[in-house]
Short mmCIF file of all heavy atoms in Angstrom, two decimals:
data_model
loop_
_atom_site.label_atom_id
_atom_site.label_comp_id
_atom_site.label_asym_id
_atom_site.label_seq_id
_atom_site.Cartn_x
_atom_site.Cartn_y
_atom_site.Cartn_z
N LEU A 1 -84.21 43.39 42.48
CA LEU A 1 -82.94 44.03 42.15
C LEU A 1 -81.75 43.12 42.43
O LEU A 1 -80.82 43.01 41.67
CB LEU A 1 -82.75 45.38 42.93
CG LEU A 1 -83.72 46.46 42.49
CD1 LEU A 1 -83.51 47.71 43.35
CD2 LEU A 1 -83.70 46.81 41.04
N GLY A 2 -81.87 42.36 43.54
CA GLY A 2 -80.84 41.42 43.91
C GLY A 2 -80.75 40.26 42.82
O GLY A 2 -79.69 39.86 42.42
N GLU A 3 -81.94 39.81 42.35
CA GLU A 3 -81.99 38.77 41.35
C GLU A 3 -81.35 39.20 40.06
O GLU A 3 -80.71 38.40 39.36
CB GLU A 3 -83.39 38.36 41.07
CG GLU A 3 -84.13 37.64 42.19
CD GLU A 3 -85.61 37.48 41.95
OE1 GLU A 3 -86.05 37.71 40.81
OE2 GLU A 3 -86.31 37.15 42.91
N LEU A 4 -81.53 40.50 39.75
CA LEU A 4 -81.00 41.05 38.46
C LEU A 4 -79.48 41.37 38.59
O LEU A 4 -78.88 41.75 37.63
CB LEU A 4 -81.75 42.32 38.11
CG LEU A 4 -83.24 42.11 37.74
CD1 LEU A 4 -83.95 43.44 37.58
CD2 LEU A 4 -83.33 41.28 36.41
N GLY A 5 -78.92 41.34 39.79
CA GLY A 5 -77.54 41.65 39.99
C GLY A 5 -77.25 43.12 39.99
O GLY A 5 -76.13 43.59 39.71
N VAL A 6 -78.28 43.91 40.29
CA VAL A 6 -78.14 45.40 40.29
C VAL A 6 -77.18 45.83 41.40
O VAL A 6 -77.31 45.32 42.53
CB VAL A 6 -79.48 46.06 40.43
CG1 VAL A 6 -79.37 47.58 40.69
CG2 VAL A 6 -80.34 45.80 39.20
N THR A 7 -76.22 46.65 41.07
CA THR A 7 -75.27 47.16 42.07
C THR A 7 -75.47 48.62 42.42
O THR A 7 -75.05 49.07 43.45
CB THR A 7 -73.86 46.94 41.54
OG1 THR A 7 -73.64 47.70 40.34
CG2 THR A 7 -73.50 45.47 41.40
N HIS A 8 -76.14 49.37 41.53
CA HIS A 8 -76.37 50.82 41.68
C HIS A 8 -77.78 51.18 41.20
O HIS A 8 -78.24 50.68 40.21
CB HIS A 8 -75.30 51.62 40.94
CG HIS A 8 -73.93 51.44 41.45
ND1 HIS A 8 -73.17 50.36 41.13
CD2 HIS A 8 -73.23 52.20 42.35
CE1 HIS A 8 -72.03 50.45 41.76
NE2 HIS A 8 -72.00 51.53 42.49
N VAL A 9 -78.38 52.11 41.96
CA VAL A 9 -79.70 52.52 41.65
C VAL A 9 -79.70 54.09 41.49
O VAL A 9 -79.20 54.79 42.36
CB VAL A 9 -80.68 52.19 42.78
CG1 VAL A 9 -82.10 52.66 42.45
CG2 VAL A 9 -80.73 50.66 43.03
N VAL A 10 -80.21 54.55 40.39
CA VAL A 10 -80.38 55.97 40.14
C VAL A 10 -81.87 56.28 40.45
O VAL A 10 -82.73 55.69 39.85
CB VAL A 10 -80.00 56.40 38.71
CG1 VAL A 10 -80.32 57.88 38.49
CG2 VAL A 10 -78.57 56.05 38.41
N VAL A 11 -82.08 57.22 41.36
CA VAL A 11 -83.42 57.62 41.73
C VAL A 11 -83.68 59.03 41.19
O VAL A 11 -82.96 59.93 41.50
CB VAL A 11 -83.67 57.55 43.21
CG1 VAL A 11 -85.03 58.12 43.61
CG2 VAL A 11 -83.53 56.13 43.73
N ASP A 12 -84.68 59.14 40.33
CA ASP A 12 -85.12 60.45 39.80
C ASP A 12 -86.30 60.89 40.67
O ASP A 12 -87.41 60.48 40.42
CB ASP A 12 -85.48 60.34 38.37
CG ASP A 12 -85.74 61.72 37.75
OD1 ASP A 12 -85.94 62.73 38.50
OD2 ASP A 12 -85.75 61.80 36.49
N ALA A 13 -86.04 61.70 41.67
CA ALA A 13 -87.08 62.09 42.66
C ALA A 13 -88.16 62.97 42.02
O ALA A 13 -89.26 63.04 42.58
CB ALA A 13 -86.46 62.87 43.79
N ARG A 14 -87.91 63.55 40.89
CA ARG A 14 -88.95 64.33 40.19
C ARG A 14 -90.15 63.50 39.74
O ARG A 14 -91.24 63.98 39.70
CB ARG A 14 -88.41 65.05 38.95
CG ARG A 14 -87.48 66.14 39.16
CD ARG A 14 -86.95 66.61 37.82
NE ARG A 14 -86.21 65.47 37.27
CZ ARG A 14 -85.50 65.57 36.16
NH1 ARG A 14 -85.43 66.70 35.51
NH2 ARG A 14 -84.87 64.50 35.68
N HIS A 15 -89.82 62.27 39.43
CA HIS A 15 -90.87 61.40 38.82
C HIS A 15 -91.33 60.26 39.72
O HIS A 15 -91.99 59.35 39.23
CB HIS A 15 -90.31 60.83 37.47
CG HIS A 15 -89.98 61.92 36.47
ND1 HIS A 15 -88.74 62.08 36.00
CD2 HIS A 15 -90.79 62.90 35.96
CE1 HIS A 15 -88.71 63.15 35.19
NE2 HIS A 15 -89.94 63.67 35.14
N MET A 16 -90.99 60.38 40.97
CA MET A 16 -91.46 59.38 41.97
C MET A 16 -92.32 60.08 43.00
O MET A 16 -92.01 61.25 43.33
CB MET A 16 -90.27 58.69 42.62
CG MET A 16 -89.56 57.71 41.68
SD MET A 16 -88.20 56.88 42.52
CE MET A 16 -89.05 55.90 43.78
N PRO A 17 -93.23 59.41 43.60
CA PRO A 17 -93.99 59.96 44.69
C PRO A 17 -93.05 60.28 45.85
O PRO A 17 -92.11 59.53 46.10
CB PRO A 17 -95.01 58.86 45.06
CG PRO A 17 -95.08 57.95 43.92
CD PRO A 17 -93.76 58.02 43.20
N GLU A 18 -93.29 61.37 46.51
CA GLU A 18 -92.45 61.81 47.63
C GLU A 18 -92.35 60.71 48.68
O GLU A 18 -91.27 60.49 49.24
CB GLU A 18 -92.95 63.15 48.19
CG GLU A 18 -91.99 63.70 49.22
CD GLU A 18 -92.49 65.02 49.72
OE1 GLU A 18 -93.41 65.67 49.08
OE2 GLU A 18 -91.94 65.51 50.75
N ALA A 19 -93.43 60.04 48.99
CA ALA A 19 -93.45 59.00 49.99
C ALA A 19 -92.47 57.85 49.57
O ALA A 19 -91.74 57.34 50.42
CB ALA A 19 -94.80 58.43 50.19
N ALA A 20 -92.39 57.55 48.31
CA ALA A 20 -91.47 56.49 47.88
C ALA A 20 -90.03 56.94 48.01
O ALA A 20 -89.17 56.17 48.46
CB ALA A 20 -91.77 56.08 46.39
N VAL A 21 -89.76 58.18 47.66
CA VAL A 21 -88.41 58.73 47.81
C VAL A 21 -87.98 58.72 49.27
O VAL A 21 -86.86 58.37 49.59
CB VAL A 21 -88.33 60.18 47.20
CG1 VAL A 21 -87.01 60.79 47.45
CG2 VAL A 21 -88.63 60.15 45.70
N ASN A 22 -88.91 59.08 50.16
CA ASN A 22 -88.59 59.09 51.59
C ASN A 22 -88.41 57.68 52.12
O ASN A 22 -87.63 57.47 53.08
CB ASN A 22 -89.69 59.79 52.38
CG ASN A 22 -89.76 61.26 52.05
OD1 ASN A 22 -88.75 61.90 51.62
ND2 ASN A 22 -90.92 61.86 52.19
N ARG A 23 -89.06 56.65 51.57
CA ARG A 23 -88.88 55.27 52.01
C ARG A 23 -87.54 54.70 51.72
O ARG A 23 -87.07 53.72 52.34
CB ARG A 23 -89.95 54.34 51.38
CG ARG A 23 -91.28 54.44 52.07
CD ARG A 23 -92.17 53.25 51.69
NE ARG A 23 -92.10 52.83 50.32
CZ ARG A 23 -92.96 53.24 49.32
NH1 ARG A 23 -93.88 54.10 49.59
NH2 ARG A 23 -92.80 52.82 48.12
N VAL A 24 -86.80 55.31 50.80
CA VAL A 24 -85.44 54.83 50.41
C VAL A 24 -84.56 54.76 51.61
O VAL A 24 -83.79 53.81 51.83
CB VAL A 24 -84.84 55.65 49.31
CG1 VAL A 24 -83.39 55.29 49.08
CG2 VAL A 24 -85.62 55.49 48.03
N ALA A 25 -84.69 55.74 52.54
CA ALA A 25 -83.82 55.83 53.72
C ALA A 25 -84.07 54.64 54.65
O ALA A 25 -83.21 54.31 55.46
CB ALA A 25 -84.08 57.12 54.49
N GLY A 26 -85.16 53.98 54.57
CA GLY A 26 -85.54 52.85 55.41
C GLY A 26 -84.91 51.51 54.97
O GLY A 26 -85.10 50.52 55.58
N TYR A 27 -84.12 51.54 53.87
CA TYR A 27 -83.46 50.38 53.36
C TYR A 27 -81.96 50.52 53.48
O TYR A 27 -81.36 51.21 52.68
CB TYR A 27 -83.88 50.08 51.92
CG TYR A 27 -85.29 49.56 51.84
CD1 TYR A 27 -86.41 50.41 51.81
CD2 TYR A 27 -85.48 48.15 51.84
CE1 TYR A 27 -87.68 49.90 51.82
CE2 TYR A 27 -86.77 47.66 51.83
CZ TYR A 27 -87.85 48.52 51.86
OH TYR A 27 -89.09 47.99 51.86
N PRO A 28 -81.40 49.93 54.51
CA PRO A 28 -79.95 50.11 54.77
C PRO A 28 -79.03 49.58 53.69
O PRO A 28 -77.91 50.00 53.57
CB PRO A 28 -79.71 49.34 56.10
CG PRO A 28 -80.85 48.39 56.18
CD PRO A 28 -82.04 49.01 55.47
N GLN A 29 -79.59 48.70 52.78
CA GLN A 29 -78.68 48.20 51.68
C GLN A 29 -78.54 49.26 50.56
O GLN A 29 -77.70 49.12 49.74
CB GLN A 29 -79.18 46.91 51.13
CG GLN A 29 -80.56 46.86 50.54
CD GLN A 29 -81.65 46.51 51.46
OE1 GLN A 29 -81.78 47.16 52.56
NE2 GLN A 29 -82.46 45.57 51.14
N LEU A 30 -79.32 50.34 50.64
CA LEU A 30 -79.17 51.45 49.68
C LEU A 30 -78.31 52.57 50.38
O LEU A 30 -78.83 53.22 51.34
CB LEU A 30 -80.54 51.98 49.30
CG LEU A 30 -81.40 51.12 48.40
CD1 LEU A 30 -82.82 51.66 48.30
CD2 LEU A 30 -80.70 51.01 46.98
N GLN A 31 -77.14 52.74 49.89
CA GLN A 31 -76.25 53.79 50.46
C GLN A 31 -76.10 54.90 49.48
O GLN A 31 -75.68 54.72 48.34
CB GLN A 31 -74.85 53.15 50.74
CG GLN A 31 -74.89 52.03 51.71
CD GLN A 31 -75.28 52.55 53.08
OE1 GLN A 31 -74.84 53.53 53.57
NE2 GLN A 31 -76.17 51.79 53.73
N LEU A 32 -76.44 56.12 49.93
CA LEU A 32 -76.36 57.31 49.07
C LEU A 32 -74.86 57.56 48.69
O LEU A 32 -74.04 57.67 49.54
CB LEU A 32 -77.00 58.53 49.72
CG LEU A 32 -76.98 59.78 48.93
CD1 LEU A 32 -77.92 59.69 47.69
CD2 LEU A 32 -77.49 61.00 49.80
N MET A 33 -74.62 57.68 47.34
CA MET A 33 -73.26 57.95 46.89
C MET A 33 -73.07 59.36 46.39
O MET A 33 -72.04 59.96 46.49
CB MET A 33 -72.89 57.02 45.76
CG MET A 33 -72.66 55.59 46.07
SD MET A 33 -72.30 54.57 44.62
CE MET A 33 -70.72 55.28 44.08
N PHE A 34 -74.18 59.86 45.68
CA PHE A 34 -74.03 61.15 45.02
C PHE A 34 -75.42 61.74 44.77
O PHE A 34 -76.37 61.01 44.52
CB PHE A 34 -73.32 60.98 43.65
CG PHE A 34 -72.88 62.22 42.95
CD1 PHE A 34 -71.73 62.84 43.28
CD2 PHE A 34 -73.70 62.74 41.97
CE1 PHE A 34 -71.34 63.99 42.67
CE2 PHE A 34 -73.36 63.95 41.34
CZ PHE A 34 -72.15 64.57 41.67
N THR A 35 -75.53 63.02 44.86
CA THR A 35 -76.77 63.72 44.56
C THR A 35 -76.46 64.88 43.60
O THR A 35 -75.50 65.59 43.71
CB THR A 35 -77.35 64.34 45.89
OG1 THR A 35 -77.57 63.27 46.83
CG2 THR A 35 -78.64 65.01 45.59
N ASP A 36 -77.33 65.00 42.61
CA ASP A 36 -77.28 66.08 41.62
C ASP A 36 -78.68 66.59 41.39
O ASP A 36 -79.38 66.12 40.53
CB ASP A 36 -76.60 65.63 40.36
CG ASP A 36 -76.34 66.78 39.39
OD1 ASP A 36 -76.48 67.93 39.77
OD2 ASP A 36 -75.98 66.49 38.20
N GLY A 37 -79.07 67.53 42.23
CA GLY A 37 -80.47 68.06 42.05
C GLY A 37 -81.48 66.95 42.47
O GLY A 37 -81.43 66.38 43.53
N TRP A 38 -82.36 66.60 41.53
CA TRP A 38 -83.41 65.61 41.73
C TRP A 38 -82.82 64.20 41.60
O TRP A 38 -83.44 63.24 42.02
CB TRP A 38 -84.49 65.78 40.70
CG TRP A 38 -85.27 67.03 40.94
CD1 TRP A 38 -85.11 68.23 40.23
CD2 TRP A 38 -86.33 67.23 41.85
NE1 TRP A 38 -86.06 69.09 40.69
CE2 TRP A 38 -86.82 68.55 41.70
CE3 TRP A 38 -86.95 66.43 42.82
CZ2 TRP A 38 -87.83 69.10 42.41
CZ3 TRP A 38 -87.98 66.98 43.53
CH2 TRP A 38 -88.43 68.28 43.34
N LEU A 39 -81.66 64.04 41.00
CA LEU A 39 -81.09 62.73 40.77
C LEU A 39 -80.24 62.28 41.96
O LEU A 39 -79.44 63.07 42.49
CB LEU A 39 -80.23 62.71 39.53
CG LEU A 39 -80.92 62.82 38.19
CD1 LEU A 39 -79.97 62.89 37.06
CD2 LEU A 39 -81.92 61.64 38.00
#
């Protein structure tokens, strides 16, 4: 993601394993900005 220059990540929790969604909190460079249901 850093190589691609990505600045924002949209996570659709409906279509990801719950364990992967929970691992997002372990990465301090990902800061939650907004939540809308599963997104």
Side-chain angles (χ1 to χ4, degrees):
L1 293 178
E3 292 169 13
L4 294 171
V6 171
T7 59
H8 293 81
V9 180
V10 176
V11 173
D12 187 345
R14 288 174 299 188
H15 299 119
M16 287 182 64
E18 188 176 344
V21 173
N22 293 335
R23 280 196 320 266
V24 170
Y27 285 85
Q29 63 268 52
L30 289 170
Q31 298 295 314
L32 183 64
M33 289 179 64
F34 190 83
T35 301
D36 186 11
W38 292 98
L39 290 175

